[in-house]
């Protein structure tokens, strides 16, 4: 059950062929490439993967491919498995746990239903108590309509199966600052000491790493893997001046890659770079506009 997520995790896109089918070869090649460029692990079936549009067989294929690649490289695989149905989330995690290569699951704050914060805590505690896998919580209020405060996160960190949180709140806010401060002041062997805060806002990863985040889960690292890995390593080794320069250089690319609904621009750029065979997404997403200007700008920043 021990899993302490750290470093840059890449939530992989799900490539499709020109005919709209799952492009399994593209997915496998992309998974290998991001790990070879230094990713600490990959996330399969996260939001970036368009999981709600995948058939059960396609989801199984994604898990098999990503699991095999992670096993070959000896890195952890995290799988998105949360919903706004508590019992359904437990069932989804049980299904995912059948894949031996899965190190943990990414479980989102319940969306649409908009429970009270106490209800969100009860949801996560119920799921964690029944989960065979470690949980990384996913706090993304602009998608869920629900904020999860720092005190609730600290309470949830006390559960032995809740090992971290992807914090994607849209800003460097007071709750995030207080959460990171609580971790920094936590005594060794206390639950918070082994609880990982992972940055989830691509443009804000540098300040959160500077404040003590354990790593990040970044959609734009599908494209700029090596640069985000270097940024993490610079902050981790105390080279703050170099980290600040690189972090500032990565802000514009991160914003550009997220300038239309995720993962449309990322797929357009990967296709333009010849890394996936098409830029296709599935409805209700529409393909991104012309990505040529973004590709040109990235050439000077993301190697």
């Amino acid at each position: 059950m021990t899993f302490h997520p750290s470093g840059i995790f890449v939530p992989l896109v799900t490539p499709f062929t020109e005919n709209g089918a799952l492009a399994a070869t593209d997915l496998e090649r992309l998974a290998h490439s991001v790990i070879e460029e230094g990713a600490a692990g990959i996330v399969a079936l996260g939001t970036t993967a368009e999981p709600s549009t995948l058939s059960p067989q396609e989801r199984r294929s994604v898990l098999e491919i990503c699991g095999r690649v992670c096993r070959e490289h000896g890195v952890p695989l995290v799988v998105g498995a949360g919903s706004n149905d508590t019992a359904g989330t437990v069932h989804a995690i049980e299904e995912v746990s059948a894949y031996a290569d899965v190190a943990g699951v990414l479980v989102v704050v319940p969306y649409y239903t908009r429970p009270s914060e106490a209800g969100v805590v009860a949801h996560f505690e119920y799921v964690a108590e029944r989960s065979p896998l470690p949980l990384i919580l996913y706090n993304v209020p602009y998608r869920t309509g629900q904020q999860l405060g720092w005190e609730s996160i600290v309470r949830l960190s006390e559960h032995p199966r809740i090992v971290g949180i992807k914090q994607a709140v849209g800003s460097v806010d007071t709750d995030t600052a207080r959460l990171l401060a609580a971790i920094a002041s936590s005594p060794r062997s206390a639950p918070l000491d082994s609880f990982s805060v992972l940055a989830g806002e691509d443009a804000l990863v540098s300040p959160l790493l500077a404040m003590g985040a354990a790593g990040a889960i970044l959609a734009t690292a599908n494209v700029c893997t090596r640069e985000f890995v270097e940024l993490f390593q610079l902050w981790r080794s105390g080279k703050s001046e170099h980290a600040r320069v690189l972090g500032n250089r990565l802000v514009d690319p991160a914003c550009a890659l997220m300038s239309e609904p995720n993962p449309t621009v990322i797929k357009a750029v990967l296709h333009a770079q010849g890394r996936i065979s098409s830029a296709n997404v599935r409805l209700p997403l529409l393909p991104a506009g012309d990505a040529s200007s973004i590709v040109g700008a990235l050439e000077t920043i993301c190697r």
Side-chain angles (χ1 to χ4, degrees):
M1 185 62 69
T2 302
F3 174 43
H4 302 302
S6 175
I8 303 301
F9 283 74
V10 181
L12 289 182
V13 301
T14 303
F16 300 126
T17 66
E18 289 290 353
N19 295 327
L22 174 67
T25 301
D26 288 351
L27 176 63
E28 184 164 358
R29 183 169 58 244
L30 184 63
H32 277 295
S33 71
V34 299
I35 296 171
E36 289 164 359
E37 291 181 6
I42 59 178
V43 178
L45 303 181
T47 307
T48 305
E50 304 170 74
S52 61
T53 72
L54 301 178
S55 69
Q57 179 55 53
E58 287 173 329
R59 288 195 289 271
R60 287 192 291 271
S61 295
V62 168
L63 288 178
E64 289 166 0
I65 292 166
C66 292
R68 182 170 64 250
V69 173
C70 285
R71 182 171 65 253
E72 289 177 13
H73 290 275
V75 302
L77 171 64
V78 174
V79 178
S83 74
N84 63 339
D85 172 11
T86 304
T89 297
V90 172
H91 179 66
I93 294 172
E94 288 172 345
E95 289 188 329
V96 165
S97 70
Y99 296 83
D101 301 301
V102 180
V105 286
L106 184 65
V107 183
V108 71
V109 168
Y111 47 82
Y112 190 74
T113 311
R114 299 192 70 181
S116 65
E117 187 160 346
V120 175
V121 170
H123 166 84
F124 282 130
E125 290 178 334
Y126 184 97
V127 172
E129 197 60 34
R130 292 157 180 80
S131 173
L133 293 167
L135 272 60
I136 299 173
L137 312 182
Y138 184 13
N139 188 21
V140 56
Y142 78 93
R143 289 188 183 275
T144 64
Q146 176 72 49
Q147 182 75 32
L148 185 61
W150 76 278
E151 290 173 306
S152 294
I153 297 170
V154 169
R155 172 178 165 178
L156 288 166
S157 75
E158 296 173 358
H159 196 289
R161 290 192 189 89
I162 298 178
V163 298
I165 188 166
K166 177 182 177 181
Q167 187 75 340
V169 298
S171 64
V172 183
D173 67 345
T174 303
D175 272 308
T176 303
R178 295 194 72 175
L179 174 61
L180 288 166
I183 291 173
S185 61
S186 177
R188 287 193 177 277
S189 78
L192 267 181
D193 184 55
S194 57
F195 183 80
S196 300
V197 175
L198 303 171
E201 293 289 347
D202 299 57
L204 299 177
V205 61
S206 190
L208 288 180
L209 290 173
M211 295 169 68
I217 299 176
L218 301 174
T220 56
N222 277 274
V223 176
C224 298
T225 313
R226 187 178 292 111
E227 288 69 29
F228 281 115
V229 170
E230 181 182 356
L231 179 65
F232 169 77
Q233 292 171 341
L234 287 170
W235 279 119
R236 182 55 60 95
S237 62
K239 298 177 181 177
S240 58
E241 288 301 322
H242 294 296
R244 192 172 297 114
V245 171
L246 179 57
N248 287 336
R249 288 178 61 221
L250 287 171
V251 170
D252 283 347
C255 291
L257 288 164
M258 301 295 283
S259 60
E260 297 185 46
N262 184 38
T264 59
V265 179
I266 292 170
K267 279 191 163 183
V269 169
L270 290 172
H271 175 53
Q273 293 175 333
R275 297 176 65 189
I276 59 176
S277 55
S278 88
N280 281 349
V281 292
R282 288 180 176 171
L283 288 170
L285 293 177
L286 295 174
D290 182 13
S292 58
S293 61
I294 298 175
V295 173
L298 287 172
E299 287 177 353
T300 63
I301 299 170
C302 299
R303 299 183 291 276

